[in-house]
């Protein structure tokens, strides 16, 4: 995980992105748009089809890391409630026959939730973190690594 995070710090935004952003076309107030930030990259083509990004997600980092096996990371801001994001991830996992589990179950880790994802080509290092900042903004960090 540290390798993935360090690589993301050095990597530039991936050019491998789809232009399809219709699912993120939620109308935001000027204040909401300001809170989510001015960077709003298109959905990367490596993100699994059907992956439940919130409609208002502003992607500000999307990288493919040249590692073996290949790894990917996306970071986005959203105003959607953590519980709604969590429920959508669980449903996506069931629909895609993936194993999803609360990686921090039973442990208090501030305002961060972590869902481990594995199966269907993704190894057990894959996860989604949802961090709340106290201003109503959630940061999603999606880290995926292909099975080697």
């Amino acid at each position: 995980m540290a390798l993935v995070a360090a690589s993301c710090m050095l990597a530039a935004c991936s050019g491998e992105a789809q232009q399809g952003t219709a699912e993120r076309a939620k109308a935001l107030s000027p204040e909401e748009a300001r809170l989510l930030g001015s960077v709003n990259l298109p959905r990367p083509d490596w993100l699994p089809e059907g992956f439940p990004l919130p409609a208002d997600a502003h992607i500000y980092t999307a990288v493919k890391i040249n590692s073996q096996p290949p790894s990917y990371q996306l970071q986005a801001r959203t105003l959607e409630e953590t519980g709604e994001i969590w429920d959508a991830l669980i449903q996506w996992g069931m629909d895609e026959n993936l194993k999803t589990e609360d990686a921090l179950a039973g442990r208090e880790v501030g305002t961060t939730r972590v869902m481990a994802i594995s199966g269907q080509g993704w190894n057990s290092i894959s996860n989604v973190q949802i961090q709340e900042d106290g201003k109503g903004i959630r940061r999603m960090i999606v880290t995926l690594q292909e099975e080697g």
Side-chain angles (χ1 to χ4, degrees):
M1 186 71 165
L3 174 62
V4 172
S7 298
C8 287
M9 297 289 284
L10 300 173
C13 292
S14 173
E16 302 177 50
Q18 297 177 5
Q19 294 302 315
T21 57
E23 69 191 50
R24 296 186 293 137
K26 176 186 172 194
L28 298 172
S29 73
E31 177 62 13
E32 289 172 326
R34 185 189 69 74
L35 288 171
L36 293 177
S38 60
V39 177
N40 191 9
L41 301 172
R43 182 184 179 103
D45 61 0
W46 50 258
L47 193 64
E49 188 173 326
F51 184 89
L53 279 180
D56 69 346
H58 276 215
I59 299 170
Y60 60 91
T61 303
V63 294
K64 178 179 180 182
I65 300 157
N66 292 325
S67 63
Q68 287 301 322
S71 299
Y72 311 88
Q73 189 175 73
L74 174 147
Q75 294 186 41
R77 290 183 190 90
T78 181
L79 298 171
E80 191 163 320
E81 295 293 328
T82 298
E84 292 176 24
I85 298 168
W86 195 261
D87 291 346
L89 288 167
I90 291 171
Q91 184 61 53
W92 171 73
M94 289 188 315
D95 293 347
E96 298 297 319
N97 198 30
L98 294 166
K99 180 179 179 184
T100 57
E101 61 183 314
D102 187 342
L104 301 176
R107 293 182 277 164
E108 183 70 28
V109 185
T111 58
T112 299
R113 293 192 74 179
V114 180
M115 179 177 289
I117 300 168
S118 59
Q120 300 298 322
W122 302 109
N123 75 19
S124 60
I125 194 174
S126 301
N127 67 77
V128 177
Q129 295 179 46
I130 305 168
Q131 302 170 343
E132 296 196 33
D133 76 350
K135 299 176 193 168
I137 302 168
R138 280 110 199 131
R139 183 169 77 151
M140 288 182 67
I141 303 170
V142 179
T143 304
L144 300 173
Q145 186 174 53
E146 294 178 14
E147 289 181 324

